[in-house]
């Protein structure tokens, strides 16, 4: 079999896999056990193997400006704590908006995120927030071409999956089972967080068991 064809088949299998795992490498080639795993519902679990608690669930709509603010404020802290084994982070991409153009923007982005392999997913998420349509409520965005470009910048060649919105129906079907008042919604061990979710120092104290932090 042609080597290019074999490579293409392998890449396709990676994209279509229900569960994908990413192990980050330490400088010098030593592998860290910090993993990103895709769940059947499209959520992404970031944790070291064996770490099951505490759990931080983050429900986010990629077209939500406040979700973008939360991402900018605490994402580096969450990644660092997950890498240290201090927390299991679960990212839940959802569509919270019912009005247009926000709803379609959100669906296109969330569907595209399901196309991107775990190895590139966090970088793709960064790209999505970087190109979030603005002004919110009136701007259409996250076009197929924009999403293909974002995926490529994140190191993923998933053009057809993104362009055809291969996972849009699946996302919407599973999204119907999510009941939220808004996004971002952040839960720590099942308890909803308020402003502490936006404060990296306070959030770290809460996760690591520091004193003086209330939910």
């Amino acid at each position: 079999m042609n080597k290019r064809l074999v490579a293409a088949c392998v890449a396709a299998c990676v994209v279509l896999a229900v569960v994908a795992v990413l192990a980050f490498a330490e400088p010098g080639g030593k592998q860290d056990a910090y993993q990103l795993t895709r769940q059947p519902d499209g959520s992404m679990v970031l944790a070291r193997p064996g770490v099951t608690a505490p759990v931080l669930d983050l429900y986010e709509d990629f077209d939500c400006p406040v979700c973008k603010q939360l991402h900018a404020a605490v994402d580096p802290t969450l990644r660092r704590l997950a890498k240290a084994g201090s927390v299991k982070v679960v990212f839940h991409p959802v569509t919270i908006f019912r009005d247009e153009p926000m709803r379609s923007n959100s669906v296109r982005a969330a569907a595209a995120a399901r196309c991107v392999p775990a190895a590139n997913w966090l970088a793709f998420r960064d790209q999505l927030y970087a190109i979030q349509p603005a002004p919110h409520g009136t701007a259409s965005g996250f076009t197929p071409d924009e999403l293909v470009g974002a995926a490529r910048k994140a190191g993923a060649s998933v053009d057809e999956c993104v362009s055809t919105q291969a996972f849009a129906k699946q996302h919407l079907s599973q999204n119907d089972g999510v009941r939220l008042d808004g996004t971002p919604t952040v839960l720590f061990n099942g308890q909803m967080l308020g402003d502490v979710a936006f404060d990296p120092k306070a959030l770290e104290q809460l996760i690591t068991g520091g004193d003086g932090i209330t939910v």
Side-chain angles (χ1 to χ4, degrees):
M1 183 178 288
N2 185 282
K3 289 184 178 179
R4 291 185 179 179
L5 182 58
V6 172
C9 290
V10 171
C13 289
V14 170
V15 172
L16 295 175
V18 173
V19 177
V21 177
L22 168 62
F24 295 86
E26 290 280 1
K30 182 181 178 182
Q31 199 173 61
D32 193 356
Y34 169 50
Q35 297 180 337
L36 185 66
T37 308
R38 175 171 278 119
Q39 304 301 298
D41 66 354
S43 62
M44 304 295 288
V45 176
L46 185 64
R48 295 177 69 96
V51 174
T52 59
V55 179
L56 187 140
D57 289 281
L58 196 169
Y59 292 84
E60 57 187 343
D61 188 316
F62 293 125
D63 196 58
C64 162
V66 184
C67 296
K68 181 177 180 177
Q69 294 172 15
L70 179 69
H71 173 72
V74 302
D75 192 63
T77 299
L78 292 180
R79 294 195 198 188
R80 175 170 54 80
L81 293 176
K83 185 174 183 177
S86 300
V87 67
K88 172 183 174 181
V89 181
V90 186
F91 299 101
H92 302 267
V94 297
T95 293
I96 193 70
F97 300 111
R98 296 186 178 276
D99 296 330
E100 297 293 351
M102 299 91 74
R103 181 172 176 80
S104 292
N105 290 346
S106 171
V107 171
R108 285 191 296 272
R114 294 194 182 208
C115 295
V116 176
N120 312 94
W121 193 86
L122 289 173
F124 182 67
R125 179 170 172 262
D126 291 341
Q127 290 294 326
L128 287 179
Y129 282 124
I131 64 170
Q132 187 182 82
H136 177 70
T138 61
S140 294
F142 290 143
T143 66
D145 286 345
E146 289 173 336
L147 293 168
V148 165
R152 288 182 179 178
K153 285 184 179 179
S157 297
V158 288
D159 300 17
E160 184 176 357
C161 180
V162 171
S163 296
T164 62
Q165 289 285 278
F167 289 107
K169 289 184 178 179
Q170 185 178 6
H171 166 71
L172 284 171
S173 176
Q174 292 171 329
N175 187 77
D176 287 342
V178 177
R179 295 291 181 263
L180 298 172
D181 292 329
T183 55
T185 293
V186 183
L187 307 178
F188 183 68
N189 289 336
Q191 188 170 3
M192 187 176 297
L193 301 185
D195 292 342
V196 68
F198 290 82
D199 184 331
K201 291 183 179 179
L203 187 59
E204 180 169 358
Q205 284 183 288
L206 177 65
I207 289 171
T208 58
D211 296 330
I213 302 300
T214 56
V215 174

